[in-house]
Amino acid sequence: MGDLKVGIIGAGLIATQVHIPNYLQYGHRVKVVAIADAVIEKAQQAAKKFGIPHTFHSFKEMFAEVELDAVSICVPNKFHAEATIAALESGCHVLCEKPPAMNAAEAQLMLETANKVGKSLRYGFNFRHSKKVKIIKNAIDMGDLGHIYSARVQAIRRRGIPGWGVFTNKELKGGGRLIDIGVHMLDVALYLMGYPEPENVLGKTHQRIGNRNGVGLLGEWDYENFNVEDMAVGMITFKNGATLLLETAFAANVEKDDTMQVSIMGDNGGADIFPLKIYQEKYGALLDVSPVYVQERDVYHHEITHFVNCCLIGTQPLSTPEQGLIIQRIVDAMYESAAIGEAIKFA
Ligand SMILES: NC(=O)c1ccc[n+]([C@@H]2O[C@H](COP(=O)([O-])OP(=O)(O)OC[C@H]3O[C@@H](n4cnc5c(N)ncnc54)[C@H](O)[C@@H]3O)[C@@H](O)[C@H]2O)c1
C-alpha cells in the first residue's frame, strides 16, 4: 500500500488536539487530506491551522468528492454509527472515538458493516495504550497473578461536570459519566480480564447534584438542562464466574477531585493500575510491589500510530469491534437495569 490518505469527521477538541496532530507526526506516509464539520467554519479553521486541502460541511459530501483510505470519527456520540458506517461503506478503515455508539444495536451494525466490507474498525479506548496497562497485561499473560476473578472500576469526580460541550445532553451523548468516561476504565478492566462475556448486569443511576446550581471544578454547567446521570453504580457478573464492581460519577461528595482506577484481583495476585501497584502473597508474607520507574508513553500518540500501522502494514489490532460491542451491551444493560429496577440477564 502507498500513502494513507486520512479524512477527519468533526473538527472539535479531540480532532484538533489529538487526531490531526498525531497523524501529522507519523511522517510522510500519512496525509490528512480532508475534514468535514457540520459547522463549516470549524472545518476551515482546522484546515488552515494544519494545512488540510479539502473542507466539507457534511461527511457524505466528503466521501463523494475525495478518495480516502482511513477516517477518524470525532463527532458527538449520536453521529458515531452513521459516520462510521458511511466511512466503511466508502472503503475506509475507521478509528471512531469512544464510546462506540449510542447503544448496542448501533455498535452491532457498525461491527457487521466492518466485517462485510473487510475494513478495520477501532474505537478510541486510549487508556488501553498506557504502559501501566501493558505491564499488568504482561504479568497476567505470564501467569503471575493467576486467574483474574474480580475487578473494580472507578471513574469518580468530586465536582467535575464539564461546563462546555455536550456532556450533559442525553440526546447527543446517550448518557452521562458512565458512557463518557466510565467506558474507558471498563475497557481497561475487561481487556485485563480477557474480555469475558457478561452474564448479569445490575445498575443504578443517580441525578442528585448535576441538576442543581453549585460549585463546579470544570466551569459552570447548564444545570437547568442537565438530563444525564451524575452517578452510575453497577455490578456485572460474567459467564466465566468473574465479577466487576463499577462506580462512575461526574459529581459526588467524595474526598478526591478525580479518581480513575482499575483494580484487578487474581488468585495469585492483584493490582491497581493508576498508579501501578501489585499485591501478592509470597515467601510467607504479603507483598506490595511498586515499580521504581515506568517509562509512560503518550497514549493518544500510541493509539493513532497503532491505528496507522494497522492500516499501512497490517499490525495486529489491539482492540476489536467485538469488544466495543460488549462494552456497549454492558452500558445499555446498566441504563436499562436502572430504568426498570431489576438486573438484566444476558442470553
Ligand atoms: N478519547 C478521549 O479521551 C476523548 C476525549 C474527548 C472527546 N472524545 C470523544 O470524541 C467525540 C467528540 O468529542 P469532542 O470533545 O471533540 O467534541 P466537540 O464538541 O469539541 O467537537 C465535535 C465536533 O463535531 C461537529 N459535528 C457535530 N455533528 C456533526 C455531524 N453530524 N457531522 C459533522 N460534524 C459534526 C461539531 O460541530 C463539533 O465541531 C465524542 O464522541 C467524545 O466522546 C474522546
Side-chain angles (χ1 to χ4, degrees), residues 124-130 133 181 184-185 188 260 274 299:
F125 290 124
N126 47 271
F127 279 86
R128 207 195 270 209
H129 293 265
S130 159
V133 174
I181 300 292
H184 273 307
M185 294 296 101
V188 168
M260 297 279 273
F274 307 111
V299 291

Side-chain angles (χ1 to χ4, degrees), residues 32-259:
V32 181
V33 296
I35 182 158
D37 196 293
V39 181
I40 186 72
E41 292 78 18
K42 291 189 78 173
Q44 288 164 343
Q45 251 173 29
K48 192 169 169 211
K49 179 169 178 197
F50 295 105
I52 304 169
H54 303 285
T55 54
F56 299 94
H57 77 273
S58 102
F59 58 80
K60 287 183 186 146
E61 202 186 328
M62 180 173 87
F63 292 124
E65 306 238 341
V66 187
E67 207 175 294
L68 299 165
D69 304 306
V71 169
S72 270
I73 310 289
C74 302
V75 284
N77 306 350
K78 182 178 179 185
F79 309 106
H80 283 192
E82 191 190 348
T84 295
I85 290 166
L88 290 167
E89 286 183 337
S90 301
C92 295
H93 300 296
V94 173
L95 174 57
C96 175
E97 263 307 334
K98 56 84 231 165
M102 295 287 271
N103 54 54
E106 289 183 354
Q108 173 80 39
L109 207 54
M110 293 155 87
L111 161 67
E112 284 169 9
T113 309
N115 289 342
K116 187 179 77 189
V117 302
K119 292 290 166 186
S120 176
L121 170 59
R122 312 274 143 253
Y123 295 118
F125 290 124
N126 47 271
F127 279 86
R128 207 195 270 209
H129 293 265
S130 159
K131 205 65 180 289
K132 299 181 188 81
V133 174
K134 184 161 175 35
I135 289 167
I136 294 303
K137 183 79 169 80
N138 287 345
I140 293 170
D141 289 348
M142 289 168 73
D144 286 358
L145 306 187
H147 172 67
I148 309 299
Y149 60 89
S150 198
R152 203 167 52 219
V153 164
Q154 290 179 305
I156 300 182
R157 287 186 187 149
R158 183 166 181 164
R159 284 295 183 278
I161 303 170
W164 69 92
V166 295
F167 294 91
T168 60
N169 179 329
K170 192 168 181 195
E171 288 67 45
L172 291 171
K173 290 292 276 191
R177 179 73 168 166
L178 170 64
I179 199 167
D180 185 46
I181 300 292
V183 292
H184 273 307
M185 294 296 101
L186 189 55
D187 175 66
V188 168
L190 293 175
Y191 173 58
L192 294 172
M193 296 169 91
Y195 256 90
E197 280 234 21
E199 186 172 46
N200 290 290
V201 173
L202 178 64
K204 184 84 193 157
T205 57
H206 304 279
Q207 200 189 73
R208 295 274 169 184
I209 298 173
N211 55 358
R212 66 184 197 215
N213 200 5
V215 178
L217 296 180
L218 296 179
E220 278 184 33
W221 70 94
D222 181 4
Y223 65 92
E224 283 170 340
N225 295 304
F226 185 95
N227 66 356
V228 296
E229 86 278 0
D230 49 37
M231 184 168 201
V233 178
M235 175 168 178
I236 299 141
T237 62
F238 297 90
K239 289 182 181 165
N240 70 355
T243 55
L244 186 150
L245 289 175
L246 174 81
E247 265 185 309
T248 71
F250 272 139
N253 287 316
V254 292
E255 183 189 5
K256 290 192 181 158
D257 286 351
D258 199 352
T259 301

